[in-house]
Amino acid sequence: MNYLDQIQRGVDYIEANLEQPISISAVASGAGLSQWHFQRIFKGLTGDTVKDYIRSRRLGKALEQLLNSDKKIIDIALEADFESQESFTRAFKSAFDTTPAEYRKAGKKRPFPQKVKFDQDYLEHINKRMNTVPEIYKQKEMHLVGLRTSFFGTDSEKNNIGEKLPPLWQQFIARLSEIKHTVGGTCYGVVRQITENSDELEYFCAIEVTALTDIPDGMLAIKIPVCTYAKFMHNGAVNLIDNTINYIYSTWLPRSGKRHANTTDLEFYGADYNPSSDASVMHYAIPIN
């Protein structure tokens, strides 16, 4: 089964359970993926978090029920898994700029969010026919030393990447000279999942070393195992890296016939990286098998 089929299975699970509580871990399990990988690929494909998509589908179904049934608004709200009519009304007005009662009274049909169908045409539309070809290479075992934090990425409704990663890099760069036995000038961002049924990630700012001795206080050693990687170039500001990552997960990976190896994603910050320049170049690599 390929990624597109698995994401579609997750969407089918959501559709079948719109009238009851839905956990993201259950959706991911139904798709046969870990929660993090399901959320990342889903966000890359749709631009929405899974939570946002579930809400949009429930609101879409509510639109249909308001026009085509005599159900009370409170019953529609509860079926859509809102705690009260008031919370449903707030969400409805935020999405459609009208209240459920006003919408029903007007009786005017309007487009509402449809079930997503993941196919090649859809992917090409989302990515504007991008044609990025990665370098496929064999990553040797590599030892790094750096600083660690945990965070939630942009594909999670708990997204706190802006609060966690920039300060960590500032701390790391300020202490880079403390690290002994370094290799070259390339620094790495190391991204990996903490547990399978969570979208919480751990992140390291690090540099390669030839020996794991004299590790500075507060820093950690990280081992990158031997693995095949697909390495993509990212041109431009680092705050646009999500565009590159979304392409990798939403277009290249589903089409490639490869699978994510469930180890460590790597960011490469070398001599061509300049955070203040639009001509900056960095790389993002995912482990594949």
Side-chain angles (χ1 to χ4, degrees):
M1 180 177 295
N2 62 37
Y3 278 118
L4 294 182
D5 291 337
Q6 288 180 285
I7 296 298
Q8 188 63 55
R9 279 176 54 185
V11 171
D12 291 341
Y13 179 91
I14 291 169
E15 291 295 312
N17 293 278
L18 285 174
E19 296 180 2
Q20 55 190 343
I22 300 175
S23 70
I24 298 175
S25 60
V27 176
S29 177
L33 292 168
S34 73
Q35 182 171 328
W36 174 47
H37 283 108
F38 182 85
Q39 289 192 155
R40 171 161 278 192
I41 295 169
F42 189 93
K43 176 74 181 298
L45 287 165
T46 67
D48 289 332
T49 66
V50 179
K51 182 178 180 180
D52 287 341
Y53 175 76
I54 292 170
R55 174 154 290 197
S56 74
R57 288 298 304 128
R58 284 174 168 159
L59 289 173
K61 186 172 182 179
L63 281 171
E64 193 173 23
Q65 290 180 322
L66 286 166
L67 290 179
N68 301 318
S69 78
D70 295 326
K71 289 183 178 179
K72 295 179 179 179
I73 293 177
I74 180 60
D75 292 333
I76 294 174
L78 295 176
E79 285 180 9
D81 200 39
F82 286 87
E83 295 180 354
S84 66
Q85 183 170 329
E86 289 74 20
S87 61
F88 171 66
T89 297
R90 285 195 299 270
F92 193 97
K93 185 171 178 59
S94 175
F96 304 116
D97 198 30
T98 187
T99 68
E102 290 168 345
Y103 182 82
R104 170 173 272 176
K105 183 177 180 180
K108 295 178 181 179
K109 292 188 177 181
R110 60 191 295 176
F112 58 87
Q114 299 291 329
K115 179 181 178 180
V116 172
K117 180 66 176 178
F118 297 97
D119 56 26
Q120 298 304 320
D121 289 339
Y122 180 74
L123 294 179
E124 289 173 0
H125 171 73
I126 290 294
N127 291 287
K128 299 179 181 178
R129 302 188 182 276
M130 293 174 62
N131 187 26
T132 301
V133 179
E135 171 194 352
I136 306 296
Y137 76 98
K138 193 78 169 183
Q139 174 65 55
K140 65 179 178 63
E141 183 175 276
M142 183 167 59
H143 295 277
L144 309 174
V145 169
L147 294 173
R148 177 196 180 278
T149 191
S150 61
F151 75 105
F152 293 92
T154 58
D155 44 339
S156 170
E157 65 271 16
K158 302 176 185 177
N159 175 19
N160 61 355
I161 191 169
E163 301 168 18
K164 290 297 195 81
L165 302 198
L168 189 72
W169 273 107
Q170 291 174 6
Q171 295 173 36
F172 176 71
I173 295 301
R175 298 186 61 192
L176 187 56
S177 61
E178 299 177 28
I179 303 174
K180 310 295 184 183
H181 318 297
T182 58
V183 178
T186 298
C187 292
Y188 298 86
V190 178
V191 187
R192 59 192 182 196
Q193 189 175 8
I194 293 179
T195 62
E196 182 175 344
N197 293 320
S198 170
D199 55 351
E200 187 176 15
L201 308 173
E202 62 178 353
Y203 186 94
F204 297 86
C205 304
I207 191 168
E208 186 178 4
V209 295
T210 57
L212 295 175
T213 57
D214 304 316
I215 297 176
D217 289 344
M219 293 194 183
L220 298 169
I222 310 106
K223 183 175 80 171
I224 306 300
V226 174
C227 189
T228 299
Y229 271 80
K231 184 178 180 181
F232 296 77
M233 179 182 292
H234 171 79
N235 294 288
V238 70
N239 62 358
L240 299 178
I241 186 64
D242 275 345
N243 294 337
T244 296
I245 296 173
N246 283 347
Y247 170 78
I248 295 169
Y249 277 93
S250 70
T251 297
W252 184 83
L253 189 58
R255 290 177 177 173
S256 68
K258 306 295 185 182
R259 304 286 299 182
H260 193 284
N262 293 323
T263 57
T264 302
D265 285 14
L266 293 174
E267 300 169 347
F268 297 74
Y269 299 93
D272 294 331
Y273 173 68
N274 183 342
S276 62
S277 171
D278 290 338
S280 176
V281 176
M282 60 169 290
H283 294 81
Y284 194 97
I286 64 169
I288 56 174
N289 54 30

